[in-house]
Every structure is written in C-alpha cells, then in structure tokens.
Amino acid sequence: MSLIADRLNRISPSQTIAISSKARALKAAGRDIIGLSAGEPDFDTPDHIKKAAIDAINQGDTKYTDVAGTPALRRAVAAKFLRDSGIDYKPEEIIVSTGGKQVIFNAMLATVQAGDEVIIPTPCWVSYPDIVALAEGTPVFVPCSQNNGFKLRAEDLEAAITAKTKWFFLNSPSNPTGAAYSAEELRPICDVLLKHPDVWVFTDDIYEKLTYDGFQPATIVQVEPRLRGRTITMNGCSKAYAMTGWRIGFCGAPVELIKAMDKLQSQSTSNTSSISQAAAVAALNGPEDALREMVKVYKQRRDLVVDMLNQAAGITCAKPEGAFYVFPGMQGCIGKTTPKGTKINNDEDFVTALLDEEGVAAVHGAAFVYPGHFRISYATSTEALREACARIQRFCAALK
C-alpha cells in the first residue's frame, strides 16, 4: 500500500518556486546570481500598513476571526470593489483567504466534479492547471498568440466551450505576460459567455493596480453585470501593496458559492491571520501614494528591460500593459550551442544554461504552458536588471 495518495500524481511542485529555490541555493554557495524568477515586489510594505498590524498586536487583536474574514475587512473589500470597478458586492458576498492561491483552490475544490472542463488561456500562471487537476477537473488550454498581444480572442473561447465546460479563467493583467484587457477587449468575450449560461467565470485581477501608460484594465462583471451571478472576482494585497508575506487574498462571488468556500476553508486553514487582516484594512482603506511610486518605478524598469532584451540576438520582447513581468520569445536561440557546449533545444535548456553560465535565473515558458519563451520579473532593483539584461545579451551573442 502506497503512503502517498494517487491524487498527488496529478500535480507538480511549483516550477517558479523551484527555480527561485535553486537560485537561492547557488547564491548561498557563493555564486554571483541575479534572481529574476520570483513574482514578488522588492519594495517594503508601506509604513501605515505595518503600523496597523503593530497596533492590532498591541490592542490584542490576536484571536480567531470569522472564517471568511473580519467584518471590517469584508467591508473594506466590498468598498474596494465598488470604488475601483463599480461592482456592488455585499460583505456576505466576500471571503478572505490565505493568499489568492487559496481562493482559487477553495473555488475549484468546492465546485469541480471529475471530468469537468476548465478553460485556461495560455500562457498561464503555473498553479491554475495543477489546482484544477487536483480537483479532478480537466484543464483545457487555449493558446493566445504573441501576435495578438497574448490576449484571448472571443472566437477561440467559443471554440473551446463544450457541454463539459464548468469554468473559464481570465487573468488580467497576466502572469507571465503582463498582458491586460480593456473594457473594449472584454466586450466580445462577455458576449460569448452570455451565450453559455452554464459556464462560470473566474477573474484573477491580482495585478489590477499595476498598469502603465494610462492603461485602464477592466474586469468581467464591470463590463457585463449580467454575468455577476456566475463570476468570482478575485484580488488581494500581495502585489499592489507589497504584502506577499502577509498572505491576504479575497474575492467577491454569489452568496451560495461564498458559503461553500467558507465551509471548505473552515476545515482547512480557517481564518487567515488576524494581524494580517488588520493590515489589509489599512491597505485597502488608506492612501495609495506608495503604490503610485511603485508603479512609476516599475514602468521605468519595464521600459529598460524591454529595450535591452530586444537588443539581444535571437530574442523578441513585447511591451506589456501591466504586472511586473516580460515574456520574451527566444526562438532565435533554438538549435544553437553555448560556449560551454550546451545545445539549446528548447526554452528549458535556454534558462538552465543562462543560470549555469551567466548566473541569471529566469523561468522557462513551458512552465506557463507556452514553450519558446521565458519569463523575467522586473520586480527587482534597476541596477540588477541592467546587469542581468547585459548578461543575457552576452549569453545570446556567444551562441553558435
């Protein structure tokens, strides 16, 4: 009798975490490593948010809370959705979880039956397919061409929907591409969804506040309120407020679904940290001066990275609308050999050799179900990014 359950054979460890761990190990061993694989802001959590957490500790707010979150935080989340997207969720339509990943996990485990299909546009975040598979669902991948800005076309969504389709995922701005959808771009997608009343919608808007050049991202229910009764609108504090370690994700959804997710969470983690929740209230209700400064710096870094990568032999890099990633193509490097004799047969060979020979850690495109590319996070110092891109240029120029 096997100790490990068969269900774990359906999933793999997070490849982004694995690469970041390898980079940290090499750095600890004395290697000169520039890590560009982690999706984590390099900025500190703003002071007023940290102060709210300290005040919560001093005031004794260190007890269990409601599973779905404190009333104060659920009200703050509801106010955030109304303020930013015009969606009028009531507090009872809100659940707070231990990061956005738990929101996704709860939703899929609470709703997906064996054989249900979940449509996932690719490139996609590495955890979507594994969470769906763990819930015994079937991921259905819809490739989104770089020629269309890595964005889903309505006709491709229509073609992917079958009688077995339970969910449709949309991440905007996207991890790994940074592609973001405007209201005009979402309109035809919403029109398709209106034709299929049994398909539920999961919108992952975690990077919503990280957009550039005046781009205004939109979300499904904002564009088409008639889809509200079968949509989860997910967001969180990790990316916008540099609060990754605080582990606060949340969503708005119909009460019936929120109750099901609450039931599941009550038997897993229960509530997220009471102290983190107090900090999240301050983040959502407080000033956003620090956020605006972060966005200003991210834009400068994005422009630097895109410019330098497009000067590397064999690399093409689109300029994304949001998030803090670029997803360059490296097809021009395939079939070549590095100075140390490594043959570049695919994107995984490329990033492995780049780490081994130049000390730059990136994530291969196949991890995001989109080979021929690699992901770089520009949520690190400008100096490190400039040096990393110079190393990538040198690495590509040396390929024969």
Side-chain angles (χ1 to χ4, degrees), residues 70 102 131 144 156 167 174 189 193 258 299 332 351 373 399:
T70 62
Q102 188 180 22
I131 293 173
C144 301
D156 294 331
W167 284 94
S174 161
I189 291 173
L193 294 167
I258 292 295
K299 179 188 181 300
V351 299
H373 295 70
L399 297 176

Side-chain angles (χ1 to χ4, degrees), residues 4-218:
I4 307 302
D6 289 344
R7 71 176 67 91
L8 284 189
N9 293 328
R10 302 188 202 119
I11 66 174
S12 304
S14 169
Q15 296 188 62
T16 53
I17 293 175
I19 293 169
S20 296
S21 298
K22 180 179 179 181
R24 282 194 294 270
L26 288 171
K27 197 167 187 176
R31 287 283 308 276
D32 177 17
I33 302 296
I34 303 175
L36 306 180
S37 58
E40 181 171 39
D42 61 316
F43 296 101
D44 195 13
T45 303
D47 287 342
H48 72 281
I49 300 174
K50 292 190 288 186
K51 182 179 183 300
I54 294 168
D55 289 345
I57 293 171
N58 290 335
Q59 293 164 9
D61 292 340
T62 56
K63 309 296 184 185
Y64 293 132
T65 74
D66 292 341
V67 170
T70 62
L73 181 51
R74 295 171 86 181
R75 287 194 300 269
V77 171
K80 174 260 179 296
F81 281 130
L82 184 61
R83 179 175 65 246
D84 292 342
S85 304
I87 307 174
D88 188 14
Y89 286 119
K90 303 296 186 250
E92 59 268 25
E93 296 176 298
I94 303 293
I95 188 170
V96 179
S97 298
T98 309
K101 188 178 290 188
Q102 188 180 22
V103 175
I104 303 167
F105 184 91
N106 287 347
M108 294 301 100
L109 226 62
T111 63
V112 172
Q113 308 271 24
D116 286 345
E117 294 179 350
V118 178
I119 295 173
I120 305 174
T122 63
C124 66
W125 183 43
V126 296
S127 292
Y128 294 150
D130 284 309
I131 293 173
V132 169
L134 191 62
E136 299 187 68
T138 301
V140 175
F141 300 119
V142 181
C144 301
S145 169
Q146 182 172 346
N147 294 334
N148 197 46
F150 294 115
K151 297 179 188 181
L152 178 70
R153 300 185 306 173
E155 56 264 39
D156 294 331
L157 172 60
E158 179 73 67
I161 294 174
T162 73
K164 295 181 178 180
T165 304
K166 185 69 167 283
W167 284 94
F168 160 59
F169 270 80
L170 189 68
N171 177 206
S172 173
S174 161
N175 175 5
T177 68
Y181 293 78
S182 66
E184 292 74 19
E185 290 168 324
L186 286 181
R187 182 67 261 172
I189 291 173
C190 291
D191 290 341
V192 170
L193 294 167
L194 286 172
K195 293 163 55 180
H196 298 276
D198 293 329
V199 176
W200 282 70
V201 183
F202 192 108
T203 65
D204 180 349
D205 302 337
I206 197 79
Y207 295 96
E208 166 201 38
K209 290 186 178 291
L210 305 181
T211 58
Y212 314 107
D213 305 318
F215 185 88
Q216 295 295 320

Side-chain angles (χ1 to χ4, degrees), residues 229-381:
R230 52 186 170 105
T231 297
I232 289 179
T233 305
M234 191 201 88
N235 214 303
C237 294
S238 297
K239 313 300 183 179
Y241 302 103
M243 292 177 66
T244 49
W246 300 79
R247 308 309 300 134
I248 293 288
F250 49 78
C251 75
V255 170
E256 179 185 14
L257 183 50
I258 292 295
K259 287 181 177 179
M261 295 167 69
D262 183 289
K263 180 179 180 180
L264 177 61
Q265 188 164 303
S266 74
Q267 295 292 4
S268 56
T269 60
S270 192
N271 64 276
T272 193
S273 162
S274 61
I275 298 158
S276 294
Q277 290 188 65
V281 171
L284 296 176
N285 289 344
E288 295 194 340
D289 300 31
L291 167 60
R292 285 188 284 271
E293 285 302 310
M294 291 182 212
V295 169
K296 181 179 177 181
V297 174
Y298 283 143
K299 179 188 181 300
Q300 293 169 349
R301 294 172 176 176
R302 179 203 62 172
D303 293 346
L304 170 71
V305 169
V306 169
D307 181 60
M308 291 190 71
L309 289 178
N310 278 320
Q311 295 177 44
I315 301 294
T316 58
C317 185
K319 182 177 288 188
E321 293 94 348
F324 41 61
Y325 309 106
V326 291
F327 197 63
M330 44 67 65
Q331 292 90 343
C333 301
I334 292 177
K336 297 185 177 181
T337 303
T338 73
K340 292 187 177 180
T342 299
K343 184 72 175 290
I344 306 297
N345 295 309
N346 52 47
D347 49 284
E348 187 168 6
D349 291 342
F350 179 89
V351 299
T352 300
L354 181 64
L355 178 58
D356 290 342
E357 300 188 22
E358 287 288 354
V360 176
V363 186
H364 55 294
F368 306 99
V369 200
Y370 210 91
H373 295 70
F374 62 104
R375 190 193 78 175
I376 280 178
S377 167
Y378 51 86
T380 191
S381 75

